[in-house]
Amino acid sequence: MLDQTTNLPGLLKDPSLLESRAYVGGQWIDGDDGTFEVTNPARGDVIANVADLSRAQVGKAIDAAYAAQKDWARWTGKERANVLRKWFDLMMENQEDLGKIMTAEQGKPLAEAKGEIAYGASFVEFFAEEAKRVLGEQIPGHGRDKRILVMKQPIGVAASITPWNFPNAMITRKAAPALAAGCSFVARPAAETPLSAIALGVLAERAGIPAGVFNVVPSSSSSEVGKEFCENEKVRKLTFTGSTEVGRILLRQAADQVMKCSMELGGNAPFIVFDDADIDAAVEGAIACKFRNNGQTCVCANRLYVQSGVYDEFAQKLKAAVEKLKVGDGLSEDGVDLGPLITRDAIDKVQEHIRDATSKGATLILGSDKDDADGNFFHPAIVTGATQEMAFAKEETFGPLAPLFKFDDVDDVIAMANDTIFGLASYFYAKDLSRVWKVAEELEYGIVGVNTGLISTEVAPFGGVKQSGLGREGSHHGIEEYMEMKYVCLTV
Ligand SMILES: NC(=O)C1=CN([C@@H]2O[C@H](COP(=O)(O)OP(=O)(O)OC[C@H]3O[C@@H](n4cnc5c(N)ncnc54)[C@H](OP(=O)(O)O)[C@@H]3O)[C@@H](O)[C@H]2O)C=CC1
Ligand SMILES: O=C(O)[C@H](O)CS(=O)(=O)O
């Protein structure tokens, strides 16, 4: 660990954004279960002691959301749009401070954290606009005296459980469409990164979002909160981003109420480079796709398949590019590309995958399976000679390891790419148009990046197939997750 303490309030233009209480029903409250520590993963020091809410207090937040929702739904779409737009404006006005809070609790370099604030804010901006465009239908009746109306109405109270890797955007990607639709919202952030979520509550209050419409319930016990969300009859929608393992738990719990769920779960993205690819562009895309957030995203390339004719060139150019990446403390050093991993466990998993691969014949051409720095820092690694028998072919590494697989035939690589229970993001680089169509159609994934390694945007429907999830977030489709459709049959 770096021997330096984090004076976070001293870094902020507006220290009041650094709140450690919960935001429930428009009130700032302490936790009945005391507080839990939030640490800086780069330095290991405690940066905040955050309110630890009990399950009963989470129940009270649900009550507040339930009480506020009906009136919020009576606002016009434009009225909701105006306060959401104000929320967006406040996020962007405070981008620097929100970025510093995120880097302090999550570790990503400040530039990347500020980028996430803009990304997270873009969902608020987008769904502020969508709030005015929730349309119903009139369908020609099945009888001369029948008139058919289709209404779209907000589902009610929505509850979210989100991970530490995108502490701002994973909440706004859910809360923005929910609020735009006229739902109220209870957000439970990851215990590793609650400060960014609480800061969203500070700005929601300033934006004029009514008390009880947006609530933040930090807690050290995620399972208790999950049970409250799934068992409380006032909750009508559960939206989760995280591992498939936890997604399964929540789906089982939500089944008792047949609750409407959105699940953004794990991935194992293939990144395929064909021999007609622009190799330099493919290397640039691989860096962006593999090492974004230090490999800690569900859409990061987890397996890199390179056609044999360009394998050596790609491996050499990728190694040269990765060697230039700077590892360091995103709060105190300029030009840092890779911050710390979130925990020691995250490092252990990367090391485990490297050792598994080399024990099965892979070659480590960059990096080490040992920590080369104290604490949570781990330098990026590349292995060649990767095969489908190695752990990363089935498990998500969720860290800075790039395994290179060699292939010859297009049908073989599609089969290998699809040989996983996951189906979130996939990528490939090629120029031949018939090959592009064939591969894009045959990859079994919710997202396909063609000649790009970055696919994250508020205007597109983000989500997975197979065991990577249910539903879509972002785009005009995203608001449907928070609406119910009502068919009215009028006899006239
Ligand atoms: N598809 C996507 O968009 C994303 C997928 N992921 C996947 O998640 C994994 C890594 O992220 P990670 O945060 O560790 O994932 P986890 O699934 O462990 O945690 C995600 C969230 O769920 C909470 N949680 C954990 N167990 C329970 C439970 N029993 N009931 C209710 N909530 C629970 C966690 O709380 P706490 O941390 O406080 O325990 C956290 O807030 C990877 O597999 C990654 O692919 C991650 C981010 C995005
Ligand atoms: O949690 C994640 O990994 C995100 O869903 C990835 S992205 O939407 O920020 O690309």
Side-chain angles (χ1 to χ4, degrees), residues 72-91:
W72 176 240
R74 291 190 195 98
W75 287 35
T76 65
K78 186 166 184 178
E79 288 169 329
R80 288 197 294 272
N82 289 340
V83 289
L84 287 173
R85 177 73 207 192
K86 180 64 181 163
W87 199 22
F88 163 76
D89 290 339
L90 288 169
M91 286 174 69

Side-chain angles (χ1 to χ4, degrees), residues 216-234:
V216 184
V217 292
S219 76
S220 60
S221 165
S222 51
S223 57
E224 281 304 293
V225 174
K227 286 178 187 146
E228 182 62 24
F229 283 170
C230 293
E231 294 167 13
N232 190 312
E233 291 182 3
K234 289 177 180 166

